[in-house]
Amino acid sequence: MKGKILVTGGTGYIGSHTVVELQNDGYEVVIVDNLSNSNAEVIDGIEKISGIRPAFEQVDCIDFPAMKAVFEKHQGIRGIIHFAASKAVGESVEKPLLYYRNNLDSLLNLLELMPQFNTEAIVFSSSCTVYGQPDILPVDENAPIKPALSPYGNTKQICEEIIRDTVYAGTPIKSIILRYFNPIGAHPTAEIGELPNGVPQNLLPFVTQTAMGIRKELSVFGDDYDTVDGSCIRDYINVVDLAKAHVIAVNRMLENKSLANVETFNLGTGRGLTVLELINTFEKVTGVKVPHKIVGRREGDIEKVWANPDHANNVLGWTAKETVEDTLASAWKWQLRLRERGLM
Ligand code: UD1
């Protein structure tokens, strides 16, 4: 065993895939999740894949005494991967205080507890949303941070600053900030995947649910952008590839390989796809039609963004390996499994 890692939000979409990869690499995982946007059955899925049942505490990260009790119960937590956060852009505009409370307090609690329990390292889930609409594409980590377009995006920027300020103040911790592009797909076993509550806000779950007939039609938000077919461009990255980068980040900090106490990496493929290209590829790979219509632009959408992943490729030795075809096939396999299980 390589030691204990606390994964907040570990029953969520990216969290659950990361727990599996941590276990595959020999770590003992403690999950903390308040199940606000996931359910405890995810732990069964994780166990089916890895053969190991992670410890689970149903705790809200904004509850300081409860979080302290987790550190006391699970002595020797060496590192944290902090996924737990509210992430719906539209909701954050309506309920800004909820977003600031959840996303900031949870990080503050962790940063305060880490030195008390000699926890050395924290990986933070950030987003390419911090770049806004970049002036130069593909976007690298030195691109300027643009004013956030939503309270959600602002929480990511502020959390990054809180981490930098805390480390620069001499707190004995290290951090790696990972800026995700658009994670999609599911574990190849289809034991875990993305399971949004209610109507999906993100593109891929809406695509798979429409293909399944759960939703009548997908709305494509805009076809008048300055792109090949007029729809927005994103960098869609396989969730298992993304999960693996977290394990590399944890290893890097715990093995003292970091070049600075805070490092930041883009996690993307370096390839941009339009919404319409993604839908067409999905139809080709699965043979299933996705009824869709063009509607107006969605407020706050970025026209085009894709990653320059060179820094992660060269410094972390990590590359996104899965093809978009295999990734879309995995998302469909997961959707079919949900149907079999009567969940969708
Ligand atoms: C959004 C956030 C991002 C956040 C992520 C978390 C913005 C600008 N970005 O990413 O900061 O980290 O969610 O969940 O809000 N689309 C459709 N029809 C749909 C749904 C989406 O056409 O029903 C299009 C969107 O216009 C966009 C692309 O699909 O071009 C991807 O959308 P989505 O999956 O929501 O992700 P982002 O908006 O990129």
Side-chain angles (χ1 to χ4, degrees), residues 270-330:
R271 167 203 64 215
L273 277 185
T274 69
V275 175
L276 292 170
E277 285 168 343
L278 191 87
I279 296 170
N280 290 338
T281 310
F282 180 88
E283 291 182 334
K284 235 178 261 157
V285 169
T286 63
V288 184
K289 285 278 163 215
V290 182
H292 57 277
K293 63 163 188 259
I294 310 288
V295 301
R297 293 180 174 196
R298 179 172 71 176
E299 205 187 321
D301 257 342
I302 301 298
E303 179 172 78
K304 44 189 162 187
V305 60
W306 63 97
N308 178 338
D310 288 353
H311 191 48
N313 297 165
N314 299 334
V315 178
L316 292 180
W318 168 90
T319 317
K321 294 207 168 82
E322 293 298 329
T323 63
V324 73
E325 285 82 5
D326 287 347
T327 303
L328 291 171
S330 74

Side-chain angles (χ1 to χ4, degrees), residues 189-209:
T189 60
E191 295 293 350
I192 54 174
E194 188 169 14
L195 187 51
N197 273 341
V199 182
Q201 306 293 315
N202 294 113
L203 180 60
L204 229 280
F206 212 108
V207 166
T208 57
Q209 290 190 14

